[in-house]
Amino acid sequence: MTVLPVSHWENRYLQTWDFERTEALPASRSADSWEHYALSYAVDANTAAFRATGRTRYLDRALEYLNGVVDTARASKSLPTSQYRDDYRGWVSNRKDLQPTGVEVPLYESYFWRHATTTLRIMRQTPAVYDDPGYRAQYEKLLAFAEVHVFDKWHRRGANDTIYRSRTHMASHWATIAFNLAAITEDPARRDRYRTVVDDIDRKLPNYPTGLRGQLQPHPVDASAYFWNDEWGSTRRPGQDVSHANGVMSYVVEAEGQGDFWTAADMARFGNLLTKVIWPGERRYAAFVDGSGSDNGWFSDGLVKLGRYDPAVQQRLERHEVVNGQFAANMALNAMILQQALSAESSSCPP
């Protein structure tokens, strides 16, 4: 089954690349964590484009954003409106439509750093990058910051409130961060701590009755798909909203790709959820994972990544009309992974 090549999707991404920076660069230089929330999409897009093509200009762009964010961090005790006022570095949110303003918000930081730590993991797993002195210096600076001023900070401020969150998608962001850091840290004690968080979120959180695995149920509309509610322990319909389901998908796809707990069978069920329930028709997009409601078809931050497991899902996504830069970059990565799988399959077949 043929899918569009990486070059097609790279060209689609490049149509947005210059404009992306006009919005993302100022956001990376802002000390407002709410600005970093949407910036995460540009980090993910550039990292996906680098993974798909090997072109370091995309990695350089992602690192420009990451370095900008880190450079804006300040000691909590120097932030007049922070509720913590400790020695950790970070940011406050000045988002006006939610109160209170001027406080440190773990959700916004985890939303950004899930993709930022994925960039770091890819750097560590790419020898040509990791062995380059210039990239290595950036990697070590950013990793040290993420370990102390992201993970340690929120873990020690109270993991039950800030990491083991009340909704599946919010906890999934921390699972991504901990999973990435566990894969690259040089400290065995830290690795154990990160793995504990990953395993807790996958299996059972310490402060809630279940974990992600326990949330998954056979879908009430199509038993070949998964259904879940975003509230731990609940199986009520309509379940998780599709917009935030992207966060869950973004995590499980990266974890499965590294052979960590989640399986190809899980990905097939999530793929069926996307193509048979959430998106049953060309312009019919459900608002919830039970298939109810109507939404805008935004799959760019997670659901699009299911295309890397099945050419049929990728072909379906090729017809999707809601295409932005993040979507195009991840479609390029999907195409590369599918092509690698096809090549490996062909080479293993007897002549």
Side-chain angles (χ1 to χ4, degrees), residues 17-52:
W17 204 56
D18 289 337
F19 176 75
E20 171 204 279
R21 193 167 182 269
T22 64
E23 293 190 338
L25 187 61
S28 73
R29 295 175 175 175
S30 166
D32 184 342
S33 65
W34 176 236
E35 296 287 337
H36 305 159
Y37 189 96
L39 176 63
S40 69
Y41 307 139
V43 172
D44 182 57
N46 280 283
T47 303
F50 168 66
R51 295 170 72 179

mmCIF file of all heavy atoms in Angstrom, residues 17-52:
data_model
loop_
_atom_site.group_PDB
_atom_site.id
_atom_site.type_symbol
_atom_site.label_atom_id
_atom_site.label_comp_id
_atom_site.label_asym_id
_atom_site.label_seq_id
_atom_site.Cartn_x
_atom_site.Cartn_y
_atom_site.Cartn_z
ATOM 1 N N TRP A 17 6.714 27.244 7.306
ATOM 2 C CA TRP A 17 7.880 27.305 8.181
ATOM 3 C C TRP A 17 8.301 28.735 8.503
ATOM 4 O O TRP A 17 8.605 29.067 9.652
ATOM 5 C CB TRP A 17 9.040 26.535 7.546
ATOM 6 C CG TRP A 17 10.061 26.046 8.509
ATOM 7 C CD1 TRP A 17 9.846 25.246 9.590
ATOM 8 C CD2 TRP A 17 11.460 26.311 8.486
ATOM 9 N NE1 TRP A 17 11.038 24.979 10.239
ATOM 10 C CE2 TRP A 17 12.037 25.612 9.577
ATOM 11 C CE3 TRP A 17 12.291 27.037 7.641
ATOM 12 C CZ2 TRP A 17 13.403 25.648 9.846
ATOM 13 C CZ3 TRP A 17 13.656 27.067 7.903
ATOM 14 C CH2 TRP A 17 14.204 26.385 8.994
ATOM 15 N N ASP A 18 8.333 29.600 7.499
ATOM 16 C CA ASP A 18 8.738 30.991 7.747
ATOM 17 C C ASP A 18 7.730 31.697 8.640
ATOM 18 O O ASP A 18 8.096 32.412 9.579
ATOM 19 C CB ASP A 18 8.908 31.746 6.434
ATOM 20 C CG ASP A 18 10.134 31.287 5.659
ATOM 21 O OD1 ASP A 18 11.056 30.744 6.282
ATOM 22 O OD2 ASP A 18 10.144 31.465 4.429
ATOM 23 N N PHE A 19 6.450 31.486 8.368
ATOM 24 C CA PHE A 19 5.423 32.140 9.185
ATOM 25 C C PHE A 19 5.454 31.617 10.614
ATOM 26 O O PHE A 19 5.236 32.384 11.560
ATOM 27 C CB PHE A 19 4.039 31.915 8.579
ATOM 28 C CG PHE A 19 2.935 32.487 9.419
ATOM 29 C CD1 PHE A 19 2.692 33.853 9.453
ATOM 30 C CD2 PHE A 19 2.146 31.657 10.207
ATOM 31 C CE1 PHE A 19 1.678 34.376 10.255
ATOM 32 C CE2 PHE A 19 1.136 32.168 11.009
ATOM 33 C CZ PHE A 19 0.904 33.536 11.021
ATOM 34 N N GLU A 20 5.715 30.328 10.771
ATOM 35 C CA GLU A 20 5.775 29.731 12.117
ATOM 36 C C GLU A 20 6.674 30.544 13.034
ATOM 37 O O GLU A 20 6.327 30.841 14.174
ATOM 38 C CB GLU A 20 6.296 28.298 12.019
ATOM 39 C CG GLU A 20 6.608 27.644 13.358
ATOM 40 C CD GLU A 20 7.618 26.524 13.217
ATOM 41 O OE1 GLU A 20 7.198 25.416 12.842
ATOM 42 O OE2 GLU A 20 8.822 26.765 13.482
ATOM 43 N N ARG A 21 7.849 30.921 12.540
ATOM 44 C CA ARG A 21 8.834 31.582 13.379
ATOM 45 C C ARG A 21 8.382 32.982 13.804
ATOM 46 O O ARG A 21 8.761 33.465 14.869
ATOM 47 C CB ARG A 21 10.173 31.665 12.648
ATOM 48 C CG ARG A 21 11.352 32.055 13.535
ATOM 49 C CD ARG A 21 12.661 31.795 12.789
ATOM 50 N NE ARG A 21 13.821 32.118 13.628
ATOM 51 C CZ ARG A 21 14.412 33.306 13.670
ATOM 52 N NH1 ARG A 21 13.955 34.294 12.914
ATOM 53 N NH2 ARG A 21 15.465 33.505 14.446
ATOM 54 N N THR A 22 7.549 33.625 12.989
ATOM 55 C CA THR A 22 7.103 34.984 13.338
ATOM 56 C C THR A 22 6.256 34.971 14.600
ATOM 57 O O THR A 22 6.206 35.977 15.323
ATOM 58 C CB THR A 22 6.289 35.613 12.195
ATOM 59 O OG1 THR A 22 5.080 34.879 11.984
ATOM 60 C CG2 THR A 22 7.093 35.646 10.906
ATOM 61 N N GLU A 23 5.598 33.863 14.876
ATOM 62 C CA GLU A 23 4.811 33.751 16.102
ATOM 63 C C GLU A 23 5.569 33.007 17.204
ATOM 64 O O GLU A 23 5.504 33.369 18.374
ATOM 65 C CB GLU A 23 3.493 33.022 15.812
ATOM 66 C CG GLU A 23 2.549 33.798 14.907
ATOM 67 C CD GLU A 23 1.184 33.160 14.832
ATOM 68 O OE1 GLU A 23 1.061 31.947 15.106
ATOM 69 O OE2 GLU A 23 0.222 33.872 14.498
ATOM 70 N N ALA A 24 6.295 31.958 16.807
ATOM 71 C CA ALA A 24 6.926 31.096 17.808
ATOM 72 C C ALA A 24 8.135 31.747 18.459
ATOM 73 O O ALA A 24 8.362 31.575 19.667
ATOM 74 C CB ALA A 24 7.318 29.765 17.171
ATOM 75 N N LEU A 25 8.934 32.492 17.701
ATOM 76 C CA LEU A 25 10.131 33.078 18.295
ATOM 77 C C LEU A 25 9.792 34.078 19.406
ATOM 78 O O LEU A 25 10.375 33.998 20.500
ATOM 79 C CB LEU A 25 10.996 33.732 17.229
ATOM 80 C CG LEU A 25 12.358 34.232 17.718
ATOM 81 C CD1 LEU A 25 13.198 33.087 18.270
ATOM 82 C CD2 LEU A 25 13.104 34.943 16.581
ATOM 83 N N PRO A 26 8.854 35.009 19.203
ATOM 84 C CA PRO A 26 8.484 35.888 20.321
ATOM 85 C C PRO A 26 7.932 35.121 21.519
ATOM 86 O O PRO A 26 8.197 35.487 22.670
ATOM 87 C CB PRO A 26 7.414 36.803 19.712
ATOM 88 C CG PRO A 26 7.691 36.794 18.247
ATOM 89 C CD PRO A 26 8.176 35.406 17.950
ATOM 90 N N ALA A 27 7.184 34.047 21.264
ATOM 91 C CA ALA A 27 6.657 33.250 22.371
ATOM 92 C C ALA A 27 7.791 32.609 23.162
ATOM 93 O O ALA A 27 7.728 32.513 24.395
ATOM 94 C CB ALA A 27 5.706 32.177 21.849
ATOM 95 N N SER A 28 8.851 32.187 22.469
ATOM 96 C CA SER A 28 9.973 31.550 23.161
ATOM 97 C C SER A 28 10.768 32.542 23.990
ATOM 98 O O SER A 28 11.504 32.149 24.900
ATOM 99 C CB SER A 28 10.900 30.871 22.149
ATOM 100 O OG SER A 28 11.657 31.816 21.406
ATOM 101 N N ARG A 29 10.630 33.813 23.702
ATOM 102 C CA ARG A 29 11.350 34.839 24.443
ATOM 103 C C ARG A 29 10.477 35.517 25.483
ATOM 104 O O ARG A 29 10.878 36.498 26.117
ATOM 105 C CB ARG A 29 11.908 35.876 23.460
ATOM 106 C CG ARG A 29 12.967 35.279 22.535
ATOM 107 C CD ARG A 29 13.438 36.245 21.477
ATOM 108 N NE ARG A 29 14.540 35.671 20.691
ATOM 109 C CZ ARG A 29 15.083 36.254 19.627
ATOM 110 N NH1 ARG A 29 14.646 37.435 19.227
ATOM 111 N NH2 ARG A 29 16.065 35.666 18.978
ATOM 112 N N SER A 30 9.279 34.984 25.674
ATOM 113 C CA SER A 30 8.358 35.498 26.681
ATOM 114 C C SER A 30 8.559 34.745 27.986
ATOM 115 O O SER A 30 8.808 33.537 27.991
ATOM 116 C CB SER A 30 6.913 35.331 26.202
ATOM 117 O OG SER A 30 6.005 35.525 27.258
ATOM 118 N N ALA A 31 8.422 35.427 29.089
ATOM 119 C CA ALA A 31 8.498 34.789 30.407
ATOM 120 C C ALA A 31 7.124 34.343 30.895
ATOM 121 O O ALA A 31 6.959 34.025 32.071
ATOM 122 C CB ALA A 31 9.124 35.742 31.412
ATOM 123 N N ASP A 32 6.153 34.293 29.986
ATOM 124 C CA ASP A 32 4.784 33.902 30.306
ATOM 125 C C ASP A 32 4.594 32.439 29.908
ATOM 126 O O ASP A 32 4.649 32.085 28.732
ATOM 127 C CB ASP A 32 3.817 34.795 29.528
ATOM 128 C CG ASP A 32 2.363 34.553 29.856
ATOM 129 O OD1 ASP A 32 2.042 33.492 30.421
ATOM 130 O OD2 ASP A 32 1.530 35.423 29.529
ATOM 131 N N SER A 33 4.363 31.568 30.883
ATOM 132 C CA SER A 33 4.254 30.141 30.580
ATOM 133 C C SER A 33 3.065 29.826 29.680
ATOM 134 O O SER A 33 3.072 28.803 28.987
ATOM 135 C CB SER A 33 4.160 29.328 31.872
ATOM 136 O OG SER A 33 2.978 29.618 32.589
ATOM 137 N N TRP A 34 2.052 30.681 29.681
ATOM 138 C CA TRP A 34 0.919 30.458 28.785
ATOM 139 C C TRP A 34 1.348 30.606 27.326
ATOM 140 O O TRP A 34 0.836 29.919 26.446
ATOM 141 C CB TRP A 34 -0.219 31.416 29.110
ATOM 142 C CG TRP A 34 -1.391 31.337 28.175
ATOM 143 C CD1 TRP A 34 -1.943 32.355 27.456
ATOM 144 C CD2 TRP A 34 -2.177 30.178 27.868
ATOM 145 N NE1 TRP A 34 -3.013 31.911 26.715
ATOM 146 C CE2 TRP A 34 -3.171 30.572 26.952
ATOM 147 C CE3 TRP A 34 -2.126 28.846 28.274
ATOM 148 C CZ2 TRP A 34 -4.113 29.689 26.435
ATOM 149 C CZ3 TRP A 34 -3.059 27.953 27.744
ATOM 150 C CH2 TRP A 34 -4.033 28.384 26.843
ATOM 151 N N GLU A 35 2.316 31.466 27.048
ATOM 152 C CA GLU A 35 2.845 31.597 25.692
ATOM 153 C C GLU A 35 3.584 30.325 25.275
ATOM 154 O O GLU A 35 3.627 29.963 24.093
ATOM 155 C CB GLU A 35 3.797 32.786 25.608
ATOM 156 C CG GLU A 35 3.154 34.137 25.859
ATOM 157 C CD GLU A 35 2.275 34.600 24.706
ATOM 158 O OE1 GLU A 35 2.496 34.124 23.579
ATOM 159 O OE2 GLU A 35 1.369 35.413 24.940
ATOM 160 N N HIS A 36 4.167 29.627 26.221
ATOM 161 C CA HIS A 36 4.918 28.409 25.911
ATOM 162 C C HIS A 36 3.987 27.249 25.570
ATOM 163 O O HIS A 36 4.414 26.285 24.917
ATOM 164 C CB HIS A 36 5.800 28.019 27.092
ATOM 165 C CG HIS A 36 6.727 29.100 27.537
ATOM 166 N ND1 HIS A 36 7.294 29.142 28.799
ATOM 167 C CD2 HIS A 36 7.191 30.217 26.894
ATOM 168 C CE1 HIS A 36 8.048 30.210 28.914
ATOM 169 N NE2 HIS A 36 8.004 30.879 27.779
ATOM 170 N N TYR A 37 2.748 27.326 26.019
ATOM 171 C CA TYR A 37 1.775 26.260 25.776
ATOM 172 C C TYR A 37 1.630 26.002 24.275
ATOM 173 O O TYR A 37 1.841 24.882 23.789
ATOM 174 C CB TYR A 37 0.443 26.675 26.399
ATOM 175 C CG TYR A 37 -0.640 25.633 26.436
ATOM 176 C CD1 TYR A 37 -0.841 24.858 27.578
ATOM 177 C CD2 TYR A 37 -1.502 25.444 25.363
ATOM 178 C CE1 TYR A 37 -1.861 23.919 27.641
ATOM 179 C CE2 TYR A 37 -2.515 24.497 25.414
ATOM 180 C CZ TYR A 37 -2.699 23.747 26.552
ATOM 181 O OH TYR A 37 -3.713 22.815 26.609
ATOM 182 N N ALA A 38 1.289 27.022 23.513
ATOM 183 C CA ALA A 38 1.123 26.867 22.066
ATOM 184 C C ALA A 38 2.463 26.717 21.351
ATOM 185 O O ALA A 38 2.542 26.094 20.288
ATOM 186 C CB ALA A 38 0.349 28.051 21.489
ATOM 187 N N LEU A 39 3.523 27.264 21.932
ATOM 188 C CA LEU A 39 4.859 27.111 21.349
ATOM 189 C C LEU A 39 5.247 25.637 21.257
ATOM 190 O O LEU A 39 6.034 25.251 20.389
ATOM 191 C CB LEU A 39 5.877 27.875 22.203
ATOM 192 C CG LEU A 39 7.347 27.764 21.816
ATOM 193 C CD1 LEU A 39 7.591 28.345 20.428
ATOM 194 C CD2 LEU A 39 8.229 28.461 22.857
ATOM 195 N N SER A 40 4.695 24.814 22.111
ATOM 196 C CA SER A 40 5.037 23.388 22.104
ATOM 197 C C SER A 40 4.760 22.751 20.748
ATOM 198 O O SER A 40 5.467 21.820 20.338
ATOM 199 C CB SER A 40 4.249 22.655 23.191
ATOM 200 O OG SER A 40 2.869 22.597 22.897
ATOM 201 N N TYR A 41 3.743 23.235 20.026
ATOM 202 C CA TYR A 41 3.413 22.650 18.733
ATOM 203 C C TYR A 41 4.544 22.865 17.722
ATOM 204 O O TYR A 41 4.837 21.983 16.912
ATOM 205 C CB TYR A 41 2.120 23.252 18.184
ATOM 206 C CG TYR A 41 0.947 23.183 19.140
ATOM 207 C CD1 TYR A 41 0.075 24.255 19.273
ATOM 208 C CD2 TYR A 41 0.705 22.040 19.911
ATOM 209 C CE1 TYR A 41 -1.006 24.202 20.145
ATOM 210 C CE2 TYR A 41 -0.372 21.976 20.779
ATOM 211 C CZ TYR A 41 -1.224 23.063 20.893
ATOM 212 O OH TYR A 41 -2.289 22.994 21.752
ATOM 213 N N ALA A 42 5.164 24.033 17.782
ATOM 214 C CA ALA A 42 6.273 24.314 16.868
ATOM 215 C C ALA A 42 7.496 23.463 17.210
ATOM 216 O O ALA A 42 8.232 23.028 16.319
ATOM 217 C CB ALA A 42 6.625 25.800 16.902
ATOM 218 N N VAL A 43 7.725 23.235 18.503
ATOM 219 C CA VAL A 43 8.823 22.351 18.905
ATOM 220 C C VAL A 43 8.583 20.942 18.379
ATOM 221 O O VAL A 43 9.471 20.306 17.808
ATOM 222 C CB VAL A 43 8.980 22.346 20.439
ATOM 223 C CG1 VAL A 43 9.990 21.287 20.877
ATOM 224 C CG2 VAL A 43 9.412 23.725 20.932
ATOM 225 N N ASP A 44 7.375 20.438 18.553
ATOM 226 C CA ASP A 44 7.042 19.100 18.080
ATOM 227 C C ASP A 44 7.180 19.012 16.568
ATOM 228 O O ASP A 44 7.729 18.030 16.038
ATOM 229 C CB ASP A 44 5.619 18.743 18.494
ATOM 230 C CG ASP A 44 5.223 17.334 18.076
ATOM 231 O OD1 ASP A 44 5.921 16.387 18.465
ATOM 232 O OD2 ASP A 44 4.227 17.181 17.349
ATOM 233 N N ALA A 45 6.717 20.030 15.850
ATOM 234 C CA ALA A 45 6.780 20.017 14.389
ATOM 235 C C ALA A 45 8.219 19.960 13.898
ATOM 236 O O ALA A 45 8.566 19.152 13.030
ATOM 237 C CB ALA A 45 6.075 21.248 13.825
ATOM 238 N N ASN A 46 9.075 20.813 14.447
ATOM 239 C CA ASN A 46 10.467 20.833 13.995
ATOM 240 C C ASN A 46 11.211 19.562 14.368
ATOM 241 O O ASN A 46 12.048 19.070 13.600
ATOM 242 C CB ASN A 46 11.175 22.068 14.559
ATOM 243 C CG ASN A 46 10.862 23.310 13.758
ATOM 244 O OD1 ASN A 46 11.405 23.513 12.674
ATOM 245 N ND2 ASN A 46 9.960 24.142 14.275
ATOM 246 N N THR A 47 10.903 19.007 15.531
ATOM 247 C CA THR A 47 11.536 17.751 15.918
ATOM 248 C C THR A 47 11.091 16.627 14.997
ATOM 249 O O THR A 47 11.903 15.795 14.568
ATOM 250 C CB THR A 47 11.211 17.412 17.377
ATOM 251 O OG1 THR A 47 11.633 18.492 18.216
ATOM 252 C CG2 THR A 47 11.907 16.141 17.829
ATOM 253 N N ALA A 48 9.807 16.589 14.661
ATOM 254 C CA ALA A 48 9.305 15.573 13.730
ATOM 255 C C ALA A 48 9.940 15.735 12.353
ATOM 256 O O ALA A 48 10.313 14.737 11.718
ATOM 257 C CB ALA A 48 7.785 15.657 13.623
ATOM 258 N N ALA A 49 10.074 16.971 11.886
ATOM 259 C CA ALA A 49 10.695 17.208 10.576
ATOM 260 C C ALA A 49 12.154 16.765 10.574
ATOM 261 O O ALA A 49 12.647 16.197 9.591
ATOM 262 C CB ALA A 49 10.577 18.676 10.198
ATOM 263 N N PHE A 50 12.857 17.017 11.674
ATOM 264 C CA PHE A 50 14.240 16.547 11.779
ATOM 265 C C PHE A 50 14.294 15.023 11.760
ATOM 266 O O PHE A 50 15.116 14.420 11.054
ATOM 267 C CB PHE A 50 14.887 17.085 13.053
ATOM 268 C CG PHE A 50 16.201 16.432 13.375
ATOM 269 C CD1 PHE A 50 17.294 16.612 12.540
ATOM 270 C CD2 PHE A 50 16.328 15.610 14.485
ATOM 271 C CE1 PHE A 50 18.504 15.979 12.818
ATOM 272 C CE2 PHE A 50 17.531 14.984 14.769
ATOM 273 C CZ PHE A 50 18.627 15.160 13.932
ATOM 274 N N ARG A 51 13.435 14.379 12.515
ATOM 275 C CA ARG A 51 13.421 12.918 12.546
ATOM 276 C C ARG A 51 13.111 12.336 11.173
ATOM 277 O O ARG A 51 13.667 11.294 10.787
ATOM 278 C CB ARG A 51 12.383 12.429 13.562
ATOM 279 C CG ARG A 51 12.700 12.790 14.992
ATOM 280 C CD ARG A 51 11.533 12.512 15.931
ATOM 281 N NE ARG A 51 11.308 11.086 16.158
ATOM 282 C CZ ARG A 51 10.364 10.613 16.957
ATOM 283 N NH1 ARG A 51 9.552 11.450 17.600
ATOM 284 N NH2 ARG A 51 10.219 9.315 17.122
ATOM 285 N N ALA A 52 12.229 12.991 10.444
ATOM 286 C CA ALA A 52 11.808 12.472 9.141
ATOM 287 C C ALA A 52 12.878 12.647 8.069
ATOM 288 O O ALA A 52 13.025 11.799 7.187
ATOM 289 C CB ALA A 52 10.520 13.163 8.696
#
